[in-house]
Amino acid sequence: MNYEFTIIVPVYNEEDNLERVEKEFKKYFEIAAKPAKVLFVNDGSKDKSQELIEAICQRSNHFTYISFVENRGLSAAIKAGFDHVDTPLLGYIDSDLQTTPEDFNELLKHIEHYDLVTGVRANRKDSFVKNMSSTIANGIRRTFTHDGMDDTGCPLKVIKSDYAKRIPMFNGLHRFLPAMILLQEGKIVQIPVRHFPRIAGTAKFGFWNRLIGPLQDCFAYLWMKKKYINYSIAKKG
């Protein structure tokens, strides 16, 4: 079928969640606002995630995958997804399903007029420490980037693929996707989405790497902003 929307699902040791991911996406495909498929990016999982991913892909052509030789981190997984997408629109969601694929339809309502639509987790179902560290980290990022986004860490986004493919990624840049679209003079907007408790698997980020990592990455972003090359073609001959 003629897919218009590829949803990138990074996976690192999520064997307890993948069957639920398959079930939720099969439900979503029935109501998707645009013909959609899933691209799993296995970030060097050491559990049975790859075995489960391959079984899911064998059961349905709506699922595809790429698998890393070794663990390279979330930013690398997202970058690999950007590189391999072949549809005009792409999305991103975490495999822990603390957000739901159904809310992609809410984001897709706005993508015609924007180049990135990101979710804002309403009524977050995380611990006090996790919520507080994320609030502080988002405040730090806003101070550096002036992107106006309240929740850049929300794992539910829709981006026009040509913008995503022009993002020069580095480790930690998954936290700066709205700011990187602004560097391309693109338009961004945030839309409230639902949030759910993690019911299986373990979180991959702790208190300190939610705070220290983003602060370090802010300085890398400022360097990139100063050096970033952006141009538009006026004529070709």
Side-chain angles (χ1 to χ4, degrees):
M1 69 188 283
N2 294 320
Y3 295 107
E4 299 178 28
F5 183 38
T6 302
I7 300 165
I8 299 164
V9 182
V11 176
Y12 180 62
N13 294 344
E14 293 285 0
E15 63 181 5
D16 294 331
N17 279 313
L18 285 170
E19 290 184 355
R20 192 164 61 97
V21 169
E22 178 186 22
K23 179 180 177 181
E24 291 301 312
F25 269 107
K26 284 186 173 180
K27 288 165 51 180
Y28 175 66
F29 293 146
E30 297 295 323
I31 62 168
K34 293 183 180 294
K37 62 180 177 177
V38 165
L39 172 61
F40 289 112
V41 182
N42 183 8
D43 183 19
S45 295
K46 296 178 174 63
D47 61 2
K48 296 181 179 179
S49 291
Q50 182 59 30
E51 178 182 333
L52 291 168
I53 287 171
E54 292 185 24
I56 291 169
C57 292
Q58 288 176 355
R59 288 192 288 266
S60 172
N61 291 332
H62 295 313
F63 296 91
T64 59
Y65 75 87
I66 55 178
S67 182
F68 287 179
V69 172
E70 58 188 358
N71 177 244
R72 304 303 293 174
L74 181 56
S75 291
I78 293 173
K79 168 61 173 171
F82 289 175
D83 290 344
H84 287 80
V85 162
D86 58 3
T87 53
L89 297 174
L90 63 85
Y92 156 55
I93 189 172
D94 279 352
S95 51
D96 59 18
L97 289 186
Q98 286 195 257
T99 51
T100 173
E102 291 181 6
D103 283 347
F104 276 121
N105 283 356
E106 295 301 314
L107 305 189
L108 287 167
K109 291 177 182 178
H110 305 272
I111 197 61
E112 180 180 353
H113 303 291
Y114 295 91
D115 304 301
L116 175 145
V117 184
T118 184
V120 179
R121 289 168 286 190
N123 192 22
R124 286 185 64 173
K125 306 297 184 182
D126 288 324
S127 67
F128 172 81
V129 172
K130 188 174 181 180
N131 286 338
M132 183 58 64
S133 61
S134 293
T135 298
I136 295 170
N138 276 304
I140 293 171
R141 280 191 290 273
R142 278 197 305 274
T143 300
F144 278 80
T145 65
H146 305 288
D147 61 10
M149 298 289 103
D150 296 317
D151 187 13
T152 59
C154 178
L156 199 76
K157 292 177 173 62
V158 175
I159 315 174
K160 290 178 178 173
S161 297
D162 55 345
Y163 279 82
K165 290 177 181 292
R166 290 197 297 266
I167 294 176
M169 293 289 280
F170 60 82
N171 284 333
L173 194 64
H174 63 275
R175 305 180 180 104
F176 293 82
L177 295 178
M180 296 307 297
I181 299 299
L182 289 178
L183 284 185
Q184 300 181 46
E185 300 179 358
K187 296 179 181 180
I188 63 176
V189 69
Q190 55 186 1
I191 303 297
V193 297
R194 291 170 288 175
H195 191 248
F196 305 91
R198 177 187 266 271
I199 64 173
T202 57
K204 306 304 185 291
F205 294 94
F207 178 79
W208 288 111
N209 58 18
R210 283 195 185 92
L211 290 180
I212 303 301
L215 180 59
Q216 295 173 329
D217 296 338
C218 283
F219 292 102
Y221 165 78
L222 290 180
W223 178 88
M224 182 172 291
K225 181 177 180 180
K226 183 177 180 180
K227 301 292 185 179
Y228 186 72
I229 295 174
N230 189 42
Y231 63 88
S232 300
I233 301 296
K235 289 184 177 180
K236 295 172 72 173

